[in-house]
Amino acid sequence: MSIYVGNLSYEVTQDTLSAVFAEYGTVRRVQLPTDRETGQLRGFGFVEMGTEAEEAAAIEALDGAEWMGRDLKVNKAKPREDRGSSGGRGGYGGGGGSRNRY
């Protein structure tokens, strides 16, 4: 389980984000993805908490809260969609309309 944290300042660090979430429980891991080409933060991150109750408390308290001049978007992270494969259809797409994008 993990929490998605969006609309982050580009000045955020793993330590500062961890400190905010630590107020609601044990922070197991913080990830701040960066752009492959520029190395700049992408404005969002993921936080893993110790328990689901801690996650729920952090989401409840921090979603919409202002931090570092921005209104945070905090919710349960959704599983990452696999964008790298074509679902075994030969790699060229084909047959339109069968994939649900939502």
Side-chain angles (χ1 to χ4, degrees):
M1 285 295 163
S2 141
I3 300 171
Y4 166 83
V5 187
N7 201 30
L8 288 172
S9 164
Y10 293 109
E11 281 78 51
V12 73
T13 66
Q14 287 186 341
D15 289 341
T16 57
L17 190 58
S18 180
V20 168
F21 278 81
E23 294 181 34
Y24 304 96
T26 303
V27 175
R28 289 194 175 159
R29 186 165 81 160
V30 174
Q31 289 179 281
L32 293 171
T34 55
D35 184 276
R36 284 186 201 139
E37 294 174 17
T38 66
Q40 182 179 15
L41 292 175
R42 296 178 63 193
F44 67 91
F46 299 94
V47 178
E48 289 181 18
M49 303 288 290
T51 67
E52 285 197 36
E54 292 170 346
E55 282 185 3
I59 291 168
E60 177 71 26
L62 297 173
D63 186 37
E66 185 181 330
W67 185 57
M68 295 179 80
R70 293 175 173 244
D71 293 335
L72 296 180
K73 177 72 177 148
V74 182
N75 53 40
K76 275 198 177 290
K78 296 178 177 72
R80 184 174 179 168
E81 291 181 15
D82 182 9
R83 290 181 258 157
S85 75
S86 62
R89 286 192 265 136
Y92 291 100
S98 65
R99 279 195 274 176
N100 183 357
R101 293 194 167 282
Y102 306 100

